[in-house]
Amino acid sequence: DLVTVSLLDALAMENFGLLVFRQKYLLVNERTPIRLKQRIARLICHEIGHQWFGNLVSIQWWKYLWLKEGFARFLEYALVTSFYPHWNYWTHFSYDIYARAMEMDEESYTHPVECQVTNATEIQTIFDSISYGKGASIFRMLIHFIGQDVMWRGLAHFIRSHAYGAARTEDLWASFSHV
């Protein structure tokens, strides 16, 4: 279910079976600008992605944040493109996601896509373009490297194998190898 919440700190938040959004990011009409409609479509797809990567299969530890956020960011573009092919939405990925992630990756304060998190105070520092954008870029590269069929079957195997549990990056690679 999708619900609007008037006082929500985040733009949206996934809960198992319930996605909550700020009103601005869920309620649209014919006068809503196309860029806002696109952002809303992306946001809904992102939160739906967390139903699989985040809720159904959780990450074993924050070290693997890129799995859940990178997949959800990748899914934004994959699903929006599928639902609205006339938007040519993949053309935005290189600039909006990949380039920004690479810019941050050049900085001295950057971190690997999978990094050690030893205490709770470090968690917020990795919710950034590396975890989201570089993570999504890895999924984007994978779909071109192993092919769409293997990618989607591997993701399905990963989700079935780890449903209602926690997983690591190694588990995802094992699922791709399996299929």
Side-chain angles (χ1 to χ4, degrees), residues 62-110:
W62 295 103
K63 169 183 181 177
Y64 307 106
L65 178 68
W66 83 272
L67 283 177
K68 107 183 186 76
E69 296 303 346
F71 177 72
R73 178 66 37 96
F74 165 79
L75 212 55
E76 293 174 23
Y77 287 81
L79 292 180
V80 168
T81 298
S82 177
F83 294 133
Y84 303 101
H86 59 283
W87 285 354
N88 297 316
Y89 215 69
W90 272 121
T91 60
H92 299 269
F93 187 87
S94 293
Y95 176 76
D96 292 346
I97 304 303
Y98 178 77
R100 288 189 180 151
M102 294 304 107
E103 284 175 9
M104 184 175 180
D105 209 24
E106 292 174 352
E107 300 296 332
S108 60
Y109 57 82
T110 194

Short mmCIF file of all heavy atoms in Angstrom, two decimals, residues 62-110:
data_model
loop_
_atom_site.label_atom_id
_atom_site.label_comp_id
_atom_site.label_asym_id
_atom_site.label_seq_id
_atom_site.Cartn_x
_atom_site.Cartn_y
_atom_site.Cartn_z
N TRP A 62 25.64 -3.26 7.98
CA TRP A 62 25.69 -2.01 7.22
C TRP A 62 26.79 -2.01 6.17
O TRP A 62 26.73 -1.25 5.22
CB TRP A 62 25.84 -0.83 8.17
CG TRP A 62 24.64 -0.70 9.04
CD1 TRP A 62 24.53 -1.07 10.35
CD2 TRP A 62 23.36 -0.22 8.65
NE1 TRP A 62 23.25 -0.84 10.80
CE2 TRP A 62 22.51 -0.31 9.77
CE3 TRP A 62 22.84 0.27 7.46
CZ2 TRP A 62 21.18 0.08 9.74
CZ3 TRP A 62 21.51 0.67 7.44
CH2 TRP A 62 20.71 0.57 8.56
N LYS A 63 27.77 -2.84 6.32
CA LYS A 63 28.83 -2.98 5.32
C LYS A 63 28.23 -3.25 3.93
O LYS A 63 28.80 -2.86 2.92
CB LYS A 63 29.73 -4.15 5.75
CG LYS A 63 30.71 -4.62 4.75
CD LYS A 63 31.47 -5.83 5.29
CE LYS A 63 32.49 -6.32 4.29
NZ LYS A 63 33.28 -7.43 4.83
N TYR A 64 27.07 -3.88 3.89
CA TYR A 64 26.43 -4.28 2.64
C TYR A 64 25.32 -3.32 2.21
O TYR A 64 24.48 -3.68 1.39
CB TYR A 64 25.88 -5.70 2.77
CG TYR A 64 26.92 -6.68 3.24
CD1 TYR A 64 26.89 -7.18 4.54
CD2 TYR A 64 27.96 -7.08 2.41
CE1 TYR A 64 27.85 -8.06 5.00
CE2 TYR A 64 28.93 -7.96 2.85
CZ TYR A 64 28.88 -8.44 4.15
OH TYR A 64 29.84 -9.30 4.59
N LEU A 65 25.34 -2.10 2.73
CA LEU A 65 24.30 -1.12 2.40
C LEU A 65 24.13 -0.94 0.90
O LEU A 65 23.03 -0.78 0.39
CB LEU A 65 24.61 0.23 3.06
CG LEU A 65 23.61 1.35 2.74
CD1 LEU A 65 22.26 1.04 3.40
CD2 LEU A 65 24.14 2.69 3.19
N TRP A 66 25.23 -1.00 0.17
CA TRP A 66 25.17 -0.78 -1.28
C TRP A 66 24.22 -1.78 -1.96
O TRP A 66 23.61 -1.44 -2.97
CB TRP A 66 26.57 -0.85 -1.90
CG TRP A 66 27.05 -2.24 -2.19
CD1 TRP A 66 27.73 -3.08 -1.35
CD2 TRP A 66 26.86 -2.96 -3.41
NE1 TRP A 66 27.97 -4.27 -1.98
CE2 TRP A 66 27.46 -4.22 -3.24
CE3 TRP A 66 26.24 -2.66 -4.62
CZ2 TRP A 66 27.46 -5.19 -4.25
CZ3 TRP A 66 26.25 -3.63 -5.63
CH2 TRP A 66 26.86 -4.87 -5.43
N LEU A 67 24.09 -3.00 -1.40
CA LEU A 67 23.19 -3.98 -2.00
C LEU A 67 21.76 -3.46 -2.03
O LEU A 67 21.09 -3.49 -3.06
CB LEU A 67 23.21 -5.30 -1.22
CG LEU A 67 24.40 -6.22 -1.42
CD1 LEU A 67 24.28 -7.43 -0.50
CD2 LEU A 67 24.51 -6.66 -2.87
N LYS A 68 21.28 -2.98 -0.90
CA LYS A 68 19.89 -2.56 -0.83
C LYS A 68 19.67 -1.21 -1.49
O LYS A 68 18.72 -1.03 -2.22
CB LYS A 68 19.39 -2.63 0.62
CG LYS A 68 19.18 -1.40 1.37
CD LYS A 68 18.76 -1.72 2.81
CE LYS A 68 18.39 -0.51 3.58
NZ LYS A 68 17.11 0.07 3.29
N GLU A 69 20.57 -0.26 -1.28
CA GLU A 69 20.37 1.06 -1.87
C GLU A 69 20.78 1.11 -3.34
O GLU A 69 20.13 1.75 -4.15
CB GLU A 69 21.12 2.13 -1.07
CG GLU A 69 20.60 2.31 0.35
CD GLU A 69 19.12 2.66 0.45
OE1 GLU A 69 18.48 3.04 -0.56
OE2 GLU A 69 18.58 2.56 1.57
N GLY A 70 21.84 0.41 -3.69
CA GLY A 70 22.25 0.35 -5.10
C GLY A 70 21.22 -0.34 -5.95
O GLY A 70 20.90 0.11 -7.06
N PHE A 71 20.66 -1.45 -5.44
CA PHE A 71 19.63 -2.16 -6.18
C PHE A 71 18.38 -1.29 -6.34
O PHE A 71 17.80 -1.22 -7.43
CB PHE A 71 19.27 -3.48 -5.50
CG PHE A 71 18.15 -4.21 -6.21
CD1 PHE A 71 18.37 -4.82 -7.43
CD2 PHE A 71 16.88 -4.26 -5.66
CE1 PHE A 71 17.35 -5.48 -8.09
CE2 PHE A 71 15.85 -4.92 -6.31
CZ PHE A 71 16.09 -5.53 -7.53
N ALA A 72 17.97 -0.64 -5.26
CA ALA A 72 16.77 0.21 -5.34
C ALA A 72 16.98 1.36 -6.32
O ALA A 72 16.08 1.69 -7.09
CB ALA A 72 16.41 0.74 -3.95
N ARG A 73 18.17 1.96 -6.33
CA ARG A 73 18.45 3.05 -7.27
C ARG A 73 18.47 2.51 -8.70
O ARG A 73 17.94 3.13 -9.62
CB ARG A 73 19.78 3.72 -6.89
CG ARG A 73 20.27 4.84 -7.76
CD ARG A 73 19.46 6.12 -7.79
NE ARG A 73 18.83 6.57 -6.60
CZ ARG A 73 19.29 7.48 -5.74
NH1 ARG A 73 20.48 8.02 -5.93
NH2 ARG A 73 18.58 7.85 -4.70
N PHE A 74 19.07 1.35 -8.92
CA PHE A 74 19.07 0.71 -10.24
C PHE A 74 17.64 0.44 -10.69
O PHE A 74 17.27 0.70 -11.83
CB PHE A 74 19.87 -0.60 -10.17
CG PHE A 74 19.65 -1.50 -11.36
CD1 PHE A 74 20.29 -1.25 -12.56
CD2 PHE A 74 18.80 -2.58 -11.26
CE1 PHE A 74 20.07 -2.08 -13.66
CE2 PHE A 74 18.58 -3.42 -12.35
CZ PHE A 74 19.22 -3.17 -13.54
N LEU A 75 16.83 -0.08 -9.77
CA LEU A 75 15.45 -0.43 -10.10
C LEU A 75 14.63 0.80 -10.48
O LEU A 75 13.71 0.70 -11.30
CB LEU A 75 14.81 -1.16 -8.93
CG LEU A 75 13.76 -2.20 -9.27
CD1 LEU A 75 14.30 -3.24 -10.25
CD2 LEU A 75 13.26 -2.88 -8.02
N GLU A 76 14.95 1.96 -9.90
CA GLU A 76 14.26 3.19 -10.28
C GLU A 76 14.27 3.35 -11.80
O GLU A 76 13.25 3.59 -12.43
CB GLU A 76 14.95 4.42 -9.68
CG GLU A 76 14.90 4.56 -8.20
CD GLU A 76 15.75 5.73 -7.73
OE1 GLU A 76 16.02 6.67 -8.52
OE2 GLU A 76 16.15 5.71 -6.56
N TYR A 77 15.45 3.23 -12.36
CA TYR A 77 15.63 3.46 -13.80
C TYR A 77 15.10 2.29 -14.62
O TYR A 77 14.49 2.49 -15.67
CB TYR A 77 17.09 3.75 -14.11
CG TYR A 77 17.47 5.12 -13.64
CD1 TYR A 77 17.79 5.37 -12.31
CD2 TYR A 77 17.44 6.20 -14.51
CE1 TYR A 77 18.09 6.64 -11.86
CE2 TYR A 77 17.74 7.48 -14.08
CZ TYR A 77 18.06 7.69 -12.75
OH TYR A 77 18.34 8.96 -12.31
N ALA A 78 15.32 1.05 -14.15
CA ALA A 78 14.84 -0.12 -14.89
C ALA A 78 13.31 -0.13 -14.96
O ALA A 78 12.73 -0.36 -16.02
CB ALA A 78 15.36 -1.40 -14.24
N LEU A 79 12.65 0.12 -13.83
CA LEU A 79 11.19 0.06 -13.82
C LEU A 79 10.55 1.26 -14.51
O LEU A 79 9.58 1.10 -15.25
CB LEU A 79 10.67 -0.06 -12.38
CG LEU A 79 10.98 -1.37 -11.68
CD1 LEU A 79 10.41 -1.36 -10.26
CD2 LEU A 79 10.45 -2.55 -12.46
N VAL A 80 11.07 2.46 -14.26
CA VAL A 80 10.50 3.64 -14.91
C VAL A 80 10.62 3.49 -16.43
O VAL A 80 9.69 3.80 -17.16
CB VAL A 80 11.16 4.95 -14.41
CG1 VAL A 80 10.78 6.13 -15.28
CG2 VAL A 80 10.73 5.22 -12.96
N THR A 81 11.75 2.98 -16.89
CA THR A 81 11.93 2.75 -18.33
C THR A 81 10.93 1.72 -18.84
O THR A 81 10.38 1.88 -19.93
CB THR A 81 13.37 2.29 -18.62
OG1 THR A 81 14.26 3.35 -18.23
CG2 THR A 81 13.57 1.97 -20.09
N SER A 82 10.68 0.70 -18.05
CA SER A 82 9.72 -0.34 -18.45
C SER A 82 8.30 0.21 -18.52
O SER A 82 7.56 -0.09 -19.46
CB SER A 82 9.79 -1.50 -17.46
OG SER A 82 8.85 -2.48 -17.77
N PHE A 83 7.91 1.01 -17.53
CA PHE A 83 6.55 1.55 -17.48
C PHE A 83 6.33 2.72 -18.44
O PHE A 83 5.25 2.90 -18.97
CB PHE A 83 6.20 2.02 -16.06
CG PHE A 83 6.12 0.90 -15.06
CD1 PHE A 83 6.73 1.02 -13.83
CD2 PHE A 83 5.42 -0.26 -15.33
CE1 PHE A 83 6.66 0.00 -12.90
CE2 PHE A 83 5.34 -1.29 -14.40
CZ PHE A 83 5.97 -1.15 -13.18
N TYR A 84 7.37 3.53 -18.65
CA TYR A 84 7.26 4.73 -19.48
C TYR A 84 8.41 4.77 -20.51
O TYR A 84 9.28 5.62 -20.43
CB TYR A 84 7.30 5.99 -18.61
CG TYR A 84 6.24 6.02 -17.55
CD1 TYR A 84 6.55 5.70 -16.23
CD2 TYR A 84 4.93 6.36 -17.86
CE1 TYR A 84 5.57 5.71 -15.24
CE2 TYR A 84 3.94 6.37 -16.89
CZ TYR A 84 4.27 6.05 -15.57
OH TYR A 84 3.30 6.05 -14.61
N PRO A 85 8.41 3.86 -21.47
CA PRO A 85 9.52 3.80 -22.42
C PRO A 85 9.70 5.10 -23.21
O PRO A 85 10.82 5.44 -23.60
CB PRO A 85 9.17 2.62 -23.33
CG PRO A 85 7.74 2.31 -23.08
CD PRO A 85 7.38 2.85 -21.73
N HIS A 86 8.63 5.84 -23.42
CA HIS A 86 8.71 7.10 -24.19
C HIS A 86 9.50 8.18 -23.44
O HIS A 86 9.90 9.16 -24.04
CB HIS A 86 7.30 7.60 -24.54
CG HIS A 86 6.44 7.85 -23.34
ND1 HIS A 86 5.83 6.82 -22.64
CD2 HIS A 86 6.09 9.00 -22.72
CE1 HIS A 86 5.14 7.33 -21.63
NE2 HIS A 86 5.28 8.65 -21.66
N TRP A 87 9.76 7.99 -22.16
CA TRP A 87 10.58 8.96 -21.41
C TRP A 87 12.07 8.75 -21.69
O TRP A 87 12.89 9.60 -21.33
CB TRP A 87 10.34 8.83 -19.91
CG TRP A 87 9.04 9.42 -19.43
CD1 TRP A 87 8.12 10.14 -20.14
CD2 TRP A 87 8.52 9.32 -18.10
NE1 TRP A 87 7.08 10.50 -19.34
CE2 TRP A 87 7.29 10.01 -18.07
CE3 TRP A 87 8.97 8.73 -16.92
CZ2 TRP A 87 6.52 10.13 -16.93
CZ3 TRP A 87 8.19 8.84 -15.78
CH2 TRP A 87 6.99 9.54 -15.79
N ASN A 88 12.47 7.61 -22.26
CA ASN A 88 13.89 7.30 -22.49
C ASN A 88 14.71 7.53 -21.22
O ASN A 88 15.74 8.20 -21.24
CB ASN A 88 14.45 8.15 -23.64
CG ASN A 88 13.77 7.83 -24.95
OD1 ASN A 88 13.55 6.67 -25.27
ND2 ASN A 88 13.41 8.86 -25.69
N TYR A 89 14.26 6.95 -20.13
CA TYR A 89 14.81 7.31 -18.83
C TYR A 89 16.23 6.82 -18.59
O TYR A 89 16.97 7.45 -17.83
CB TYR A 89 13.86 6.84 -17.71
CG TYR A 89 13.90 7.83 -16.59
CD1 TYR A 89 13.36 9.09 -16.75
CD2 TYR A 89 14.51 7.53 -15.39
CE1 TYR A 89 13.43 10.03 -15.75
CE2 TYR A 89 14.57 8.46 -14.38
CZ TYR A 89 14.03 9.70 -14.57
OH TYR A 89 14.12 10.63 -13.57
N TRP A 90 16.65 5.74 -19.22
CA TRP A 90 18.03 5.28 -19.03
C TRP A 90 19.03 6.35 -19.48
O TRP A 90 20.16 6.37 -19.01
CB TRP A 90 18.30 3.98 -19.77
CG TRP A 90 17.97 2.75 -18.98
CD1 TRP A 90 17.09 1.78 -19.34
CD2 TRP A 90 18.51 2.33 -17.71
NE1 TRP A 90 17.04 0.81 -18.37
CE2 TRP A 90 17.91 1.12 -17.36
CE3 TRP A 90 19.45 2.88 -16.84
CZ2 TRP A 90 18.22 0.42 -16.20
CZ3 TRP A 90 19.74 2.20 -15.67
CH2 TRP A 90 19.13 0.99 -15.37
N THR A 91 18.62 7.22 -20.38
CA THR A 91 19.55 8.26 -20.84
C THR A 91 19.93 9.21 -19.71
O THR A 91 20.97 9.86 -19.78
CB THR A 91 18.95 9.07 -22.01
OG1 THR A 91 17.74 9.70 -21.57
CG2 THR A 91 18.67 8.19 -23.21
N HIS A 92 19.13 9.29 -18.66
CA HIS A 92 19.44 10.16 -17.52
C HIS A 92 20.44 9.51 -16.55
O HIS A 92 21.07 10.19 -15.76
CB HIS A 92 18.17 10.49 -16.72
CG HIS A 92 17.15 11.22 -17.50
ND1 HIS A 92 17.10 12.59 -17.55
CD2 HIS A 92 16.13 10.78 -18.28
CE1 HIS A 92 16.09 12.96 -18.31
NE2 HIS A 92 15.49 11.89 -18.77
N PHE A 93 20.57 8.18 -16.60
CA PHE A 93 21.36 7.46 -15.62
C PHE A 93 22.83 7.89 -15.62
O PHE A 93 23.41 8.11 -14.56
CB PHE A 93 21.26 5.95 -15.86
CG PHE A 93 21.93 5.12 -14.80
CD1 PHE A 93 21.23 4.76 -13.67
CD2 PHE A 93 23.24 4.71 -14.94
CE1 PHE A 93 21.83 4.00 -12.68
CE2 PHE A 93 23.86 3.96 -13.95
CZ PHE A 93 23.15 3.59 -12.83
N SER A 94 23.42 8.01 -16.79
CA SER A 94 24.85 8.34 -16.86
C SER A 94 25.19 9.64 -16.17
O SER A 94 26.17 9.72 -15.44
CB SER A 94 25.31 8.41 -18.32
OG SER A 94 25.26 7.14 -18.89
N TYR A 95 24.37 10.66 -16.36
CA TYR A 95 24.64 11.95 -15.74
C TYR A 95 24.13 12.01 -14.30
O TYR A 95 24.84 12.41 -13.39
CB TYR A 95 24.04 13.10 -16.56
CG TYR A 95 24.23 14.43 -15.88
CD1 TYR A 95 25.48 15.04 -15.90
CD2 TYR A 95 23.20 15.04 -15.18
CE1 TYR A 95 25.69 16.25 -15.25
CE2 TYR A 95 23.39 16.25 -14.53
CZ TYR A 95 24.64 16.85 -14.56
OH TYR A 95 24.85 18.03 -13.92
N ASP A 96 22.89 11.62 -14.09
CA ASP A 96 22.27 11.76 -12.77
C ASP A 96 22.89 10.85 -11.72
O ASP A 96 23.00 11.22 -10.55
CB ASP A 96 20.77 11.47 -12.83
CG ASP A 96 20.00 12.51 -13.62
OD1 ASP A 96 20.54 13.59 -13.89
OD2 ASP A 96 18.84 12.23 -13.97
N ILE A 97 23.27 9.67 -12.09
CA ILE A 97 23.71 8.67 -11.10
C ILE A 97 25.20 8.35 -11.24
O ILE A 97 25.99 8.58 -10.33
CB ILE A 97 22.87 7.38 -11.23
CG1 ILE A 97 21.38 7.69 -11.08
CG2 ILE A 97 23.34 6.32 -10.25
CD1 ILE A 97 20.99 8.37 -9.78
N TYR A 98 25.59 7.83 -12.40
CA TYR A 98 26.97 7.36 -12.59
C TYR A 98 27.98 8.50 -12.43
O TYR A 98 28.94 8.37 -11.67
CB TYR A 98 27.10 6.69 -13.96
CG TYR A 98 28.49 6.23 -14.27
CD1 TYR A 98 28.99 5.07 -13.69
CD2 TYR A 98 29.32 6.95 -15.13
CE1 TYR A 98 30.27 4.63 -13.95
CE2 TYR A 98 30.60 6.52 -15.40
CZ TYR A 98 31.08 5.36 -14.81
OH TYR A 98 32.36 4.94 -15.07
N ALA A 99 27.78 9.60 -13.12
CA ALA A 99 28.74 10.70 -13.07
C ALA A 99 28.88 11.27 -11.67
O ALA A 99 29.99 11.56 -11.22
CB ALA A 99 28.35 11.80 -14.06
N ARG A 100 27.78 11.43 -10.97
CA ARG A 100 27.84 11.96 -9.60
C ARG A 100 28.58 11.02 -8.67
O ARG A 100 29.34 11.44 -7.80
CB ARG A 100 26.44 12.26 -9.09
CG ARG A 100 25.86 13.47 -9.77
CD ARG A 100 24.57 13.92 -9.14
NE ARG A 100 24.08 15.09 -9.87
CZ ARG A 100 22.82 15.39 -9.98
NH1 ARG A 100 21.90 14.65 -9.40
NH2 ARG A 100 22.45 16.46 -10.65
N ALA A 101 28.34 9.73 -8.83
CA ALA A 101 29.04 8.74 -8.00
C ALA A 101 30.54 8.77 -8.29
O ALA A 101 31.35 8.72 -7.37
CB ALA A 101 28.48 7.35 -8.24
N MET A 102 30.91 8.90 -9.57
CA MET A 102 32.33 8.94 -9.92
C MET A 102 33.00 10.22 -9.41
O MET A 102 34.15 10.20 -9.01
CB MET A 102 32.52 8.79 -11.43
CG MET A 102 32.09 7.44 -11.98
SD MET A 102 32.91 6.02 -11.20
CE MET A 102 31.59 5.35 -10.20
N GLU A 103 32.25 11.32 -9.41
CA GLU A 103 32.80 12.57 -8.85
C GLU A 103 33.12 12.39 -7.37
O GLU A 103 34.19 12.78 -6.91
CB GLU A 103 31.81 13.72 -9.02
CG GLU A 103 31.75 14.28 -10.41
CD GLU A 103 30.66 15.36 -10.55
OE1 GLU A 103 30.07 15.79 -9.53
OE2 GLU A 103 30.40 15.74 -11.70
N MET A 104 32.21 11.80 -6.63
CA MET A 104 32.46 11.58 -5.21
C MET A 104 33.59 10.58 -5.01
O MET A 104 34.38 10.69 -4.07
CB MET A 104 31.21 11.10 -4.50
CG MET A 104 31.42 10.97 -3.01
SD MET A 104 29.91 10.53 -2.17
CE MET A 104 30.53 10.48 -0.50
N ASP A 105 33.66 9.61 -5.89
CA ASP A 105 34.69 8.58 -5.79
C ASP A 105 36.10 9.15 -5.98
O ASP A 105 37.07 8.56 -5.53
CB ASP A 105 34.41 7.48 -6.81
CG ASP A 105 34.93 6.13 -6.36
OD1 ASP A 105 35.08 5.93 -5.14
OD2 ASP A 105 35.17 5.27 -7.22
N GLU A 106 36.20 10.30 -6.63
CA GLU A 106 37.50 10.95 -6.84
C GLU A 106 37.99 11.70 -5.60
O GLU A 106 39.17 12.03 -5.51
CB GLU A 106 37.42 11.94 -7.99
CG GLU A 106 37.21 11.30 -9.34
CD GLU A 106 37.00 12.33 -10.44
OE1 GLU A 106 36.86 13.53 -10.13
OE2 GLU A 106 36.96 11.92 -11.61
N GLU A 107 37.11 11.99 -4.67
CA GLU A 107 37.45 12.81 -3.50
C GLU A 107 38.28 12.02 -2.49
O GLU A 107 38.18 10.79 -2.41
CB GLU A 107 36.19 13.35 -2.83
CG GLU A 107 35.34 14.22 -3.72
CD GLU A 107 36.05 15.50 -4.15
OE1 GLU A 107 36.93 15.98 -3.41
OE2 GLU A 107 35.73 16.01 -5.23
N SER A 108 39.06 12.74 -1.71
CA SER A 108 39.92 12.10 -0.72
C SER A 108 39.11 11.47 0.42
O SER A 108 39.57 10.54 1.08
CB SER A 108 40.91 13.11 -0.14
OG SER A 108 40.19 14.17 0.48
N TYR A 109 37.90 11.92 0.64
CA TYR A 109 37.07 11.41 1.74
C TYR A 109 36.16 10.26 1.30
O TYR A 109 35.28 9.84 2.03
CB TYR A 109 36.22 12.53 2.34
CG TYR A 109 35.33 13.23 1.34
CD1 TYR A 109 34.09 12.71 0.96
CD2 TYR A 109 35.74 14.42 0.75
CE1 TYR A 109 33.29 13.33 0.03
CE2 TYR A 109 34.94 15.07 -0.18
CZ TYR A 109 33.72 14.52 -0.52
OH TYR A 109 32.93 15.15 -1.44
N THR A 110 36.36 9.74 0.11
CA THR A 110 35.49 8.68 -0.41
C THR A 110 35.70 7.38 0.35
O THR A 110 36.58 7.27 1.20
CB THR A 110 35.74 8.48 -1.91
OG1 THR A 110 34.68 7.69 -2.45
CG2 THR A 110 37.08 7.81 -2.17
#
